Structure formats: structure tokens, C-alpha cells
Amino acid sequence: MTTRMSGVRIDGTAHEQAGNRTIRTVTSPIDGAAVGEVVRGTSEDAAAALDSAERAFPSWSATSAEERAVALRGIARELRAEAESGAADGWAWLLSTETGKRLGEAQGELNFSALYFETFARLVLEQEAEQFSAVPGISHRVAPVAMGVVAALTPWNFPVSIPARKIAAALAAGCTVVFRSSEIGALSSLRLIEIVERFVPSGVVNTVLGAPADVVDPWLERADCVSFTGSTRVGRILNEQIAGRFLPAVMELGGNGSLVVLDDADVARTVDTLMIAKFRNNGQSCIAANNVLVPKRLESDFRDALREAVEGLVVGDPREAGTGLGPLAPAGDGPRVSALVEAAVAAGGERLLDEREVPAGGHYAAPQFVFGAPAGSDLVAHEVFGPAAGVVAYDDVEDAIALQRSSGYGLASYVCGGDEERAGAVAARFRAGIVGINTGTPNYPGGPFGGVGLSGLGYEGGRLGLEAHQHFRMTAMAV
């Protein structure tokens, strides 16, 4: 056991086990070894956290944009310093150990998190009230106003950068925060909160980890805004709970991204793009490529190039140099992904690779593509969240576009082609809030992150992410 951290942090104080609080042991998906312990909170803690955030709001919202930007930049500096350390006792090492993501990706996540704080520091300084006189004798002024207390609810797949995206935007807007992370990856999330607390007054950010019924339900009754990232299923539940209050919410939900290969695509470059878009974070990304749509005339060459690339993936300890694919974070996800592959094969698909062994003792799943997977199979039509995907060959690009648009999701998708203008025209017809053209890394903190349909409501990142935590007041004055 390496560390115990409290998941109950109220008014800048970490609370240890007492009363009805419980302890959760954190184990590594790499080998099942114990990583640490987390103190879990109660409904009483959730209420106290919200009380604290409400008390802190008037003062924090009254601070100048310059003061808030200074705090955000201080947090960013600390994050970047941590990212530079790959030591066995460093944050990136911890992040890799408790989630299974490769060490290089863990360091990248810390730097990406820093960029969110830097970006929102810049955006809040650029934001100005608008003044105009459109009506004779009256001056109008439109100014942003912080919403209040934001309930930030985050998942396990990016336990630092997703909380950073939410917390940085809320703080920049002048809001206070009550925060609950997933209990998978919780140690890394709590390291972020420890840093944030050094740069903001007590009560501005309060954290309670625990059962959703104990923590989230009370917050939904009183918070002024909800920012949630997670599954579409849970998003529906939350939206039903807050509908009666007309509570402003950002819901970043599931995805079913397609990667459409055009007939003029460079096959080698396309495979490189797919390897990133599919296997980033071991396939556990809401913007991952979940299905691949290939023109029939390129199918054979594409299959050969993809087989060579996937066969070269080393599956193993993500902290070791050379590892290309680590374990899946949740227990049971390896068999779940394998079952999706088996079902697609049973329905007529063909595995790209023969069965391969994966390390014993962890949450591993072998990388796999299924060619000829039926368009209606779960491997193609639903979010996989793991290192597998279906490949569908098409005759007409219109069929590929129709399949991309048919799932009901609309978060991210990709297109690869030699003619950039044509690729852009295809991408413009996608049902997606985020599109990558010849790139597997389309996300950027300065731009909006969000989707349509089953992928959620609202945007995080960029100017729209800042404004998601504000309402706008127009004041008219006779002059």
C-alpha cells in the first residue's frame, strides 16, 4: 500500500475516516496489486461541501478576471512541473499505475490539463462586457455573470484532464465547485484537487467521493449548474433528475466515432491515423474510432497494412518503454470487449488477427479488428470503449456517410483522404461535433468539445466552455 488519500475535502481540509465514512482500496489493472486507499464520503459530507461552496461563491465571483487568471496559471505551472517527472513516485507514474494508460500518455495528460488552465486564464482575460446604444437615449450593457455552484462529475478514463477541463472553466467564470470523480483513477484526480486548493481560497473547490445516491443526488437539488462526463445511460438519468429545475447542464456523453477512408487515401498514413484514433488510452476514449469504413478497392491493401501495425503492438505493462497497449481500467472490461468481437465474428465477420495471449493477472484485452462486421452489430453500431473495432467495406461514399450518421451519436468522427478539399466536404456532412481530417488527435483546449444527439448537450473547452458556466445580464440605462 503506497498511499491513503481523502476523498472528502471541504473548506480546504482533508477529512479522514470517521463516522459513516468508508475506505476503498485502489488496485492496479496492470497486475491487481494494491496502489492505495481512498476515504469515501457520506450524504452529510455532500451537504457540507455544497454549503462551503455557497459560502465561498460571493467572494470568489467578485474577484477580478486578473486574479482568477493568476490562480489558474499557478495551477498550470504546478501541473507542468509534475508532468516532467517520470519517477516511480511521480504523478504520471501513479496515473499509469492506477488506470493502465501508457506512461507517455499519462505525462501527456498532465500537460494537456495544464493547457486547460492556461487556456481558460487567457479566455477570461479576453472576455469583455459589450456596450452599445441602439436606442436613442438608452445605453445597453451586456455582461457575463457567474452561475453559482457547479457540480462537476467526472469519469475514470482521463481522471486528470477531464476534471481540469471542467474545474478550470468554472473557476475562470467565477463559479465555485463541488467535485466528484469516479472512484477508478481517484488518486490521480485527488492529486489535481490538492494542487487547485493551493491557489484558490478555502471553499472554492470542495470534493466528495462516494456513492452517487449519497453525493450526486443532494447536489442536483441545490447546485446552480451541472457539468457531467460519462455514459449516455447515466446522462439520461441525470437529465431526468434536473429537468424540473431547468438546471443548466453540460452533458458530454458517449460516442460512436467512424473513421471513413476515402478511395484516394494514402493507406500507410491512414493506418497511422487509425492506430492513434483507436488505441489512444487503450481504446477507452469517447472520441475513439469505433468503426472503420473502407472503400472496397482499398480493402485488401488496408487489411495488410493494418495487420502489420496491430501485430507490432506490444501488450503489457504501460509503464515500460515499448508497450503499445496497456490494460483496461475497469475489472471485467476485457471479457466485455472480447464478447463484442465474438458476436461480430459469429454474425459473419472475420478477425484481422489470430487469437493472441495477453498478460495474466490484469485487465487486458487483445487488440482486434473484425472485417465484414455487420453494420448492426454492437461492435459497429455502439460505443466499444476498448481496443477493438469493426471494419465495413463500402462501394459508394454515400453509404459510408449514411452509416456514420445513423447511430444516433454525434461526438467525434474522422476522415482520411488525399484530396483535402474533398475530405473536408465529406467531413462537413458528418453528424459530429468534432472531426479529424487525416489526424487522430482532433481535440484542442481552445476549441469547443461536445456533440449532438446521444452524445450530449453543450460544450466544454474554448469560449463556449467558459460561457457554459455563465449567464448574461443586459442592463439598460437612460442617458
Side-chain angles (χ1 to χ4, degrees), residues 253-256 285-287 290 336 340 378 381-385 409:
L253 308 178
N256 184 29
S285 169
C286 55
I287 64 170
N290 275 280
R336 177 187 62 80
L340 292 174
D378 286 345
H382 298 286
E383 188 169 38
V384 176
F385 232 67
Y409 293 92

Side-chain angles (χ1 to χ4, degrees), residues 423-476:
V426 170
R429 297 175 61 192
F430 284 171
R431 177 181 169 88
I434 302 165
V435 177
I437 300 176
N438 294 322
T439 178
T441 54
N443 188 21
Y444 164 62
F449 187 99
V452 296
L454 299 177
S455 291
L457 301 166
Y459 297 93
E460 299 183 297
R463 177 181 58 82
L464 295 178
L466 176 66
E467 293 177 355
H469 300 85
Q470 298 169 324
H471 64 85
F472 291 83
R473 177 180 295 141
M474 188 181 78
T475 303

Side-chain angles (χ1 to χ4, degrees), residues 70-405:
V70 167
L72 295 179
R73 287 172 177 157
I75 295 166
R77 284 194 302 272
E78 292 279 331
L79 277 160
R80 291 209 183 276
E82 288 273 6
E84 292 173 1
S85 173
D89 61 347
W91 192 355
W93 188 274
L94 171 66
L95 180 53
S96 179
T97 300
E98 70 169 338
T99 66
K101 67 181 64 195
R102 293 183 301 116
L103 183 59
E105 287 188 297
Q107 290 174 306
E109 182 172 345
L110 297 183
N111 275 313
F112 205 56
S113 302
L115 188 54
Y116 275 114
F117 284 96
E118 291 164 349
T119 297
F120 281 109
R122 172 180 59 80
L123 288 170
V124 74
L125 291 176
E126 292 174 353
Q127 190 177 45
E128 295 180 355
E130 180 185 4
Q131 291 184 293
F132 57 93
S133 297
V135 179
I138 300 178
S139 173
H140 293 85
R141 184 175 189 271
V142 180
V145 180
M147 282 187 177
V149 178
V150 175
L153 313 173
T154 64
W156 48 263
N157 56 330
F158 294 95
V160 182
S161 63
I162 293 178
R165 187 167 70 205
K166 295 179 184 297
I167 293 171
L171 296 181
C175 295
T176 55
V177 176
V178 287
F179 170 62
R180 179 192 181 273
S181 72
S182 168
E183 294 185 71
I184 299 175
L187 296 173
S188 294
S189 297
L190 291 171
R191 287 281 288 267
L192 172 66
I193 298 305
E194 287 181 337
I195 289 176
V196 170
E197 288 177 343
R198 297 175 199 163
F199 292 90
V200 298
S202 297
V204 170
V205 175
N206 301 273
T207 302
V208 182
L209 270 60
D214 291 336
V215 178
V216 178
D217 289 358
W219 289 351
L220 298 183
E221 294 175 1
R222 290 171 51 196
D224 301 293
C225 177
V226 175
S227 182
F228 169 74
T229 297
S231 71
T232 299
R233 179 187 66 82
V234 175
R236 279 198 185 97
I237 295 170
L238 294 179
N239 269 304
E240 289 172 0
Q241 288 180 268
I242 65 178
R245 294 186 61 208
F246 298 97
L247 194 66
V250 175
M251 296 278 167
E252 196 270 287
L253 308 178
N256 184 29
S258 297
L259 189 146
V260 176
V261 183
L262 301 182
D263 57 12
D264 64 344
D266 180 286
V267 170
R269 183 181 178 188
T270 297
V271 168
D272 288 343
T273 299
L274 175 58
M275 294 294 285
I276 295 170
K278 175 71 262 182
F279 296 119
R280 176 195 301 111
N281 198 39
N282 304 323
Q284 301 165 125
S285 169
C286 55
I287 64 170
N290 275 280
N291 53 72
V292 187
L293 312 180
V294 183
K296 285 184 177 177
R297 79 171 194 85
L298 291 183
E299 184 179 9
S300 179
D301 290 344
F302 181 79
R303 183 197 301 255
D304 291 342
L306 183 59
R307 179 185 293 110
E308 181 179 357
V310 179
E311 285 179 339
L313 273 180
V314 176
V315 181
D317 189 327
R319 300 163 300 187
E320 294 180 358
T323 295
L325 191 69
L328 304 181
D333 258 21
R336 177 187 62 80
V337 173
S338 296
L340 292 174
V341 170
E342 293 299 326
V345 171
E350 180 184 354
R351 290 183 181 86
L352 174 67
L353 304 173
D354 295 332
E355 294 288 349
R356 64 184 291 181
E357 292 186 1
V358 296
H363 306 165
Y364 293 91
Q368 187 61 272
F369 290 88
V370 178
F371 278 70
S377 65
D378 286 345
L379 191 65
V380 174
H382 298 286
E383 188 169 38
V384 176
F385 232 67
V391 182
V392 179
Y394 68 84
D395 288 309
D396 190 320
V397 72
E398 294 296 324
D399 297 331
I401 294 171
L403 184 57
Q404 189 281 333
R405 295 179 60 88

Side-chain angles (χ1 to χ4, degrees), residues 18-55:
N20 293 326
R21 296 190 188 115
T22 58
I23 298 291
R24 180 181 182 273
T25 300
V26 178
T27 58
S28 174
I30 299 170
D31 53 13
V35 179
E37 294 179 333
V38 174
V39 176
R40 304 173 76 244
T42 66
S43 57
E44 291 79 12
D45 292 322
L50 197 49
D51 290 341
S52 176
E54 288 176 341
R55 289 193 299 269

